Amino acid sequence: MPKRKSTDDGDRKCLGTLKVETGGRPLFGLSFWPGTKIKSKQDEENEDIYYFCTVGGNTGTVYAIIKDKNQKLKLEITPREKFVDDDETEEFYTCCWTTAERISDNEDEVSTPLLIVAGAHGSAKIADFTQEPNNLALVGHGNAINDCRVHPIHPWLLVTASKDESARLWNVITRKCIAIFAGDMGHRDEVLTCDIHILGRLLCTAGMDNTVKIWRLDTTDIATAIFESNSKATKPHIVHD
């Protein structure tokens, strides 16, 4: 049997290992914040910081990896924020990041990071660590949420993939469901994963039924539903094909 080569040298060296306390429950998901700075009193003196979140059990935890002055990554990974669901039986499977535009005390428009976590209980929780209370929910799925993706062009749009055999498009700011992708031409078992093309026109879903579904996000009906989700209390648009 060939000897396995060591990965502890050169560019392949592991920079650090983090043991996360989740009460023995596994870590199902993680996601990097797509930037290098989140305003925090703890991090004011550091210029380059990488943030990521892990989800396990009923907890989502944000960690920071800090660059030193020599542009090398420090080995220590330090916790910064934590979101704990009120229900101890919740099991988060996935997480992602988005932003909300807010007006600061100086009347400047600033982007506030929002952490989205979702899992077994079928609702996506939105954690805003700058506000109190800091958690809101997207409720509508009839079973667990397995995956979630933020729209690459419009970060206030979110897609979730669920065990209830559907995917849903949400307005994160108004917390309204815009569209449901399911029905006659939809999945026949739970939807495990989803993604949106970088141009924002196509949604791709895949699941336990061994099929991949491609859905259009640029139709007139979807565009109208997105526009109306900003104000009106309308019912979500059902997409069958």
Side-chain angles (χ1 to χ4, degrees):
M1 186 174 181
K3 184 178 180 180
R4 188 170 64 180
K5 293 182 179 180
S6 172
T7 59
D8 292 336
D9 58 320
D11 294 336
R12 296 171 295 174
K13 184 177 180 179
C14 177
L15 295 174
T17 300
L18 175 69
K19 180 65 175 178
V20 179
E21 295 297 330
T22 59
R25 300 159 84 174
L27 295 177
F28 282 107
L30 57 80
S31 177
F32 267 109
W33 162 247
T36 57
K37 193 68 175 176
I38 297 178
K39 287 189 176 181
S40 170
K41 292 182 179 180
Q42 294 174 287
D43 300 326
E44 285 179 352
E45 297 179 358
N46 301 300
E47 294 183 358
D48 295 318
I49 304 174
Y50 298 97
Y51 296 91
F52 69 94
C53 175
T54 64
V55 287
N58 67 330
T59 303
T61 308
V62 179
Y63 298 89
I65 308 171
I66 305 172
K67 268 189 174 183
D68 63 20
K69 295 180 180 179
N70 296 321
Q71 297 298 303
K72 294 181 180 180
L73 293 177
K74 291 184 177 180
L75 294 182
E76 59 265 29
I77 306 169
T78 58
R80 283 294 183 264
E81 302 285 355
K82 181 176 287 189
F83 171 80
V84 181
D85 194 82
D86 294 334
D87 191 337
E88 294 183 357
T89 66
E90 174 66 282
E91 189 82 44
F92 291 134
Y93 299 148
T94 183
C95 61
C96 62
W97 294 89
T98 187
T99 58
E101 301 299 323
R102 301 191 187 282
I103 303 300
S104 68
D105 295 337
N106 299 326
E107 296 187 354
D108 296 325
E109 191 175 82
V110 295
S111 293
T112 300
L114 299 178
L115 173 65
I116 300 173
V117 295
H121 289 184
S123 62
K125 307 295 176 62
I126 307 168
D128 180 352
F129 298 111
T130 68
Q131 302 288 315
E132 292 291 342
N134 70 350
N135 61 305
L136 302 169
L138 305 177
V139 180
H141 278 297
N143 213 320
I145 294 175
N146 294 316
D147 199 8
C148 59
R149 288 290 189 280
V150 171
H151 195 284
I153 298 175
H154 306 299
W156 46 278
L157 297 178
L158 174 77
V159 171
T160 52
S162 174
K163 190 175 181 179
D164 67 5
E165 303 180 9
S166 77
R168 290 183 178 232
L169 177 66
W170 304 86
N171 183 322
V172 173
I173 304 303
T174 63
R175 304 193 303 280
K176 294 178 182 177
C177 180
I178 298 170
I180 302 173
F181 303 88
D184 296 340
M185 299 297 291
H187 288 280
R188 290 293 179 266
D189 207 332
E190 61 180 290
V191 187
L192 295 177
T193 187
C194 60
D195 201 6
I196 304 172
H197 187 267
I198 192 170
L199 296 180
R201 299 172 182 170
L202 296 176
L203 165 65
C204 184
T205 59
M208 290 288 288
D209 58 359
N210 297 319
T211 64
V212 175
K213 303 287 184 179
I214 309 297
W215 312 85
R216 288 186 60 185
L217 296 177
D218 59 352
T219 65
T220 301
D221 289 341
I222 294 292
T224 300
I226 291 174
F227 176 78
E228 292 180 345
S229 73
N230 290 313
S231 56
K232 296 180 180 179
T234 55
K235 295 182 179 179
H237 177 65
I238 310 296
V239 182
H240 297 284
D241 52 22

